[in-house]
Structures are given as C-alpha cells and as structure tokens.
C-alpha cells in the first residue's frame, strides 16, 4: 500500500516534469541547416522531421533529421516551391461562401487575436514578456487601424491566453471559434518571433525602418493545403508590392487552430530583440497586402469575394463588347434584308427612297421626310 501510495504521488510529478520539458523544447531556438551544414534560418520552437520551409526566394526545404540535444535540424532542398494554385484558393473560399449572401454586398471583414498574449519587444517594452499591456497588442492595434484605413472592418479580440505554454493554443481556440461566428474573410493569429538575432528581421522598406514578417502554417490539419496556398498568396502579393517584407513561410507540425478556417495564418511581426516601432511600421504594409489579397481580386479566383477580380471584370467587359458587336451585326443584317425585300417589292431604289420618306414622315408627324399627298383633299 505504501508503494502504491508513492506511485500515485510520483505520477503527477512525472507528468508535470514531462510537460515542463516539452515546454522547454518548444521554447528552444533551433537552427535549420542544409545538408552541407550551412545555416538556412532560425526557428523559435522545436522543429520536427517532415516540417517544411519556404525561403524568401521561394525555395522549398523539407526537414529530414532533427538533433534535439544540439537544437538543430537538417533540411533537404526540394527545389522551387510551386506557384500559387488558383484552383485551390477558389475551392478554399467556396467553403466560406454564404449561399444566401450577395457577393457584391458582402462587407470587408477580418478577425484577429493573439495566442501568446505576453509577447513583447525588449528594446521598447523593457522585457520580452509582459503579463499586462504586452507589446504584441500594440502591434495588433496598429494592424487593426491600418486595415481600417483600407476600408476593412476588423474584429480584434484582446482576450489573454496566459500562460505562454503548450496549452496556449488550446485556450485560444475558443477565441478563434467565437470570432469565426461572424464569418470573416480571414482570421489572423498575431505573434512576434523569439529568435535572438535582430538582423534576421530588421529591414528598411520605402526608406522606413521596418520589420520582416514570417508566416506560419500548421501541417497537421485537413485544411493545411488551403492554409498553405493562402500564405503563399500573401507572400506573392507582398513580394510584388514590398519586396523583402515577408521573411519566409514555415510549415510546422501542429495545427495552430488553422483547421478551423481555410483562410487562416499565423503572422510573426519581427522578433523580441527588435524595436516595436519596426513591427508597427510593417503593419501598414501588411494591411495593403491583405486588402489586395482578400478584396482586390487577387486571391478571389472566380470573383468569389467582393464582386469579382480584375480578370473577371476584364472578361465581363469582353463579353459586353461581344454582345454589343452581336447587336450591331444583327441590325446590319436586318437592314440589308429589308433593303433587298423593298427593292424586290418596288422595283427601283427611287421608289424605295420615296417609301422610306413617307414612312419617316408618318412616324414623325411630318417633321421628317416627305409628307404624302392627300389624295382626298378635293373630296367634299
């Protein structure tokens, strides 16, 4: 009985120790290396075999081995990441469409929250973690304001999900579920990275000190492919508008609650060792990118969001032009057929002209054409 009592007492302690060890591994900074041992990037959190990484120049790497003691992972270069799959995006959005809504009248709405509610920026906030008034919420507010400047309605949930541990995503799941009840066009989980080197994120954009943004996608959910295509579309547009804004895309084990929505992605605005103002500056650029991706006809293949894409508009214009040309052809053929019939009926073009003149006069009350002679004017 004493032995059994000791086992019962030790089991919770062992489970707690394992959970703490797991949290320590998740908080560790791993180095992602290529097969030649050269560093590709850093990642705050454990890397797992089969995780994938899309670099800033769109090269795809797949993790083939992990050394948890050294906190390193080796990745194999798989080649160029395929271009954005428009069909995948269209299918993803079709799952969100409300059959009772008019696409042209759907409001521009996005949702956001912060799973790691303590994340802060050391140079500005004085610490990397704050239990109240954390720096990550200043970034959220700035992102919200910049999205609103683009005409987008934003639902920002500031619920805290402390502590910053392996259960944070379980706690933030309910927040995401509540936000999704309003059927936003997309939902974003806002973070900052935890890698120590600020050089990996510091960037000058349009002459302003800014921060790069990393996109994270969870691969352990049924919507992983759609989430991935959505992240790739964000990167594609950002690369065109603000080259270097998007640092990369990390596709890691787990789901980050992204199985709840096809257009869901985790955004990391800088890391804890950069100035918070850099991250805030980048929210301005990201707001423009998100507006174009969601509501500017880029990610909305087949005109699925706000009245159609530029391509759909061009196609409609071509259809309208073709329709107008068809009408003109029809009228021309009708006039030609009428002229042939009139010639056959009257025998000469002169008589056709007289008939046309009399007909015009009758239709216009004598204002146009030759008024026909009144053959009955001498009759009593």
């Amino acid at each position: 009985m004493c032995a059994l009592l000791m086992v019962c007492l030790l089991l919770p302690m062992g489970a707690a120790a394992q959970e703490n060890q797991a949290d320590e591994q998740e908080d560790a900074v791993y180095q992602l290396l290529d097969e030649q041992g050269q560093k590709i990037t850093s990642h705050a959190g454990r890397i797992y075999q089969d995780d994938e990484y899309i670099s800033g120049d769109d090269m795809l790497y797949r993790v083939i081995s992990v050394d948890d003691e050294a906190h390193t992972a080796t990745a194999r270069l798989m080649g160029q990441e395929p271009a954005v799959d428009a069909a995948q995006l269209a299918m993803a959005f079709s799952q969100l469409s409300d059959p009772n809504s008019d696409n042209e009248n759907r409001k521009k709405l996005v949702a956001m929250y912060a799973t790691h509610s303590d994340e802060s920026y050391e140079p500005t906030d004085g610490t990397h973690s704050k239990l109240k008034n954390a720096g990550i919420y200043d970034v959220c507010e700035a992102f919200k304001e910049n999205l609103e400047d683009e005409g987008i309605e934003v639902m920002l949930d500031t619920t805290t999900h402390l502590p910053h541990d392996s259960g944070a995503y379980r706690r933030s799941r309910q927040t995401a579920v509540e936000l999704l009840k309003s059927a936003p066009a997309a939902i974003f989980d806002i973070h900052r990275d935890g890698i120590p080197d600020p050089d990996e994120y510091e960037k000058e954009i349009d002459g302003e000190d800014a921060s790069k943004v990393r996109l994270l996608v969870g691969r352990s959910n049924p919507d992983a492919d759609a989430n991935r295509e959505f992240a790739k579309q964000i990167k594609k547009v950002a690369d065109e508008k603000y080259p270097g804004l998007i640092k990369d895309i990390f596709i890691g084990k787990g789901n980050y609650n992204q199985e709840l929505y096809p257009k869901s992605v985790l955004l990391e605005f800088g890391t804890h060792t950069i100035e918070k103002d850099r991250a805030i500056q980048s929210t301005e650029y990201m707001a423009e990118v998100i507006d174009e991706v969601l509501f500017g006809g880029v990610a909305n293949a087949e005109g699925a969001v706000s009245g159609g894409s530029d391509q759909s508009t061009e196609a409609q214009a071509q259809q309208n032009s073709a329709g107008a040309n068809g009408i003109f052809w029809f009228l021309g053929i009708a006039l030609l057929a009428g002229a042939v019939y009139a010639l056959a009926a009257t025998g000469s073009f002169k008589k056709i002209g007289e008939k046309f003149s009399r007909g015009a006069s009758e239709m216009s009350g004598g204002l146009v054409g030759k008024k026909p002679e009144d053959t009955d004017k001498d009759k009593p």
Side-chain angles (χ1 to χ4, degrees):
M1 290 182 65
C2 289
L4 182 61
L5 180 61
M6 288 295 294
V7 169
C8 291
L9 290 172
L10 289 174
L11 278 176
M13 294 174 62
Q18 289 180 357
E19 185 173 342
N20 290 336
Q21 184 178 10
D23 286 340
E24 288 176 3
Q25 290 282 14
E26 292 302 323
D27 289 339
V29 176
Y30 278 64
Q31 303 300 315
L32 184 63
L33 312 175
D34 64 19
E35 291 185 277
Q36 289 71 46
Q38 298 298 310
K39 179 181 174 180
I40 301 171
T41 190
S42 301
H43 178 70
R46 190 167 188 261
I47 295 179
Y48 295 84
Q49 187 171 333
D50 294 327
D51 284 354
E52 292 186 325
Y53 174 77
I54 302 173
S55 63
D57 56 357
D58 293 321
M59 300 306 293
L60 173 64
Y61 295 84
R62 181 170 297 138
V63 176
I64 58 175
S65 65
V66 179
D67 185 340
D68 286 323
E69 290 187 4
H71 292 162
T72 61
T74 301
R76 177 167 295 158
L77 177 61
M78 308 302 294
Q80 191 83 16
E81 171 69 10
V84 175
D85 187 339
Q88 180 68 52
L89 285 173
M91 183 172 65
F93 193 82
S94 69
Q95 300 175 37
L96 314 182
S97 299
D98 180 357
N100 299 317
S101 69
D102 181 352
N103 284 336
E104 294 187 0
N105 294 325
R106 290 190 65 195
K107 59 184 177 181
K108 297 167 66 173
L109 175 67
V110 300
M112 70 174 72
Y113 63 103
T115 291
H116 291 155
S117 311
D118 66 314
E119 291 183 334
S120 300
Y121 299 82
E122 283 184 0
T124 308
D125 297 318
T127 178
H128 72 282
S129 175
K130 295 179 69 175
L131 299 183
K132 292 183 179 180
N133 303 317
I136 196 63
Y137 285 110
D138 294 327
V139 175
C140 288
E141 288 289 347
F143 194 24
K144 177 178 182 290
E145 291 175 7
N146 283 308
L147 285 167
E148 289 173 341
D149 287 343
E150 299 295 328
I152 301 172
E153 183 180 347
V154 181
M155 295 187 301
L156 169 60
D157 193 310
T158 57
T159 300
T160 58
H161 310 102
L162 301 171
H164 186 146
D165 60 10
S166 56
Y169 284 99
R170 183 181 67 251
R171 292 187 290 274
S172 69
R173 185 180 184 84
Q174 187 56 42
T175 298
V177 168
E178 287 298 318
L179 286 169
L180 290 174
K181 290 180 179 179
S182 297
I187 184 168
F188 302 105
D189 189 1
I190 309 301
H191 292 248
R192 60 105 180 103
D193 205 344
I195 62 177
D197 187 359
D199 291 341
E200 289 203 37
Y201 273 98
E202 290 179 349
K203 176 71 175 176
E204 184 175 296
I205 299 176
D206 285 353
E208 298 288 343
D209 288 339
S211 165
K212 296 178 184 178
V213 180
R214 169 173 279 177
L215 311 182
L216 267 73
V217 174
R219 59 182 172 88
S220 304
N221 75 77
D223 278 331
D225 289 342
N227 299 146
R228 182 185 186 127
E229 292 302 318
F230 182 45
K232 286 165 57 178
Q233 183 63 64
I234 293 173
K235 184 178 185 302
K236 176 178 180 293
V237 173
D239 288 348
E240 294 169 354
K241 294 177 71 69
Y242 299 107
L245 172 63
I246 299 301
K247 182 181 187 299
D248 46 31
I249 303 174
F250 194 92
I251 301 101
K253 184 180 179 180
N255 58 31
Y256 305 120
N257 294 327
Q258 291 171 357
E259 83 280 11
L260 296 174
Y261 220 49
K263 288 196 173 182
S264 172
V265 70
L266 189 155
L267 306 178
E268 288 191 328
F269 284 88
T271 189
H272 66 290
T273 56
I274 71 167
E275 295 281 348
K276 182 169 59 182
D277 288 345
R278 283 181 173 269
I280 288 174
Q281 179 63 39
S282 290
T283 65
E284 178 182 334
Y285 310 130
M286 281 299 296
E288 293 181 30
V289 170
I290 296 303
D291 181 43
E292 184 169 337
V293 169
L294 292 175
F295 308 111
V298 180
N300 306 315
E302 308 301 328
V305 181
S306 59
S309 67
D310 295 338
Q311 292 179 346
S312 299
T313 303
E314 182 179 353
Q316 185 62 48
Q318 292 175 352
Q319 291 176 1
N320 293 341
S321 177
N325 290 336
I327 293 172
F328 287 130
W329 273 104
F330 175 78
L331 291 175
I333 292 171
L335 289 172
L336 180 61
V340 172
Y341 174 78
L343 179 61
T346 61
S348 70
F349 285 105
K350 181 179 179 180
K351 290 184 178 180
I352 292 175
E354 291 175 352
K355 281 183 170 290
F356 178 80
S357 181
R358 286 198 299 272
S361 178
E362 290 172 358
M363 292 178 64
S364 64
L367 296 175
V368 179
K370 182 178 178 181
K371 186 176 181 180
E373 295 181 0
D374 189 355
T375 55
D376 295 332
K377 66 181 178 180
D378 296 329
K379 291 182 181 179

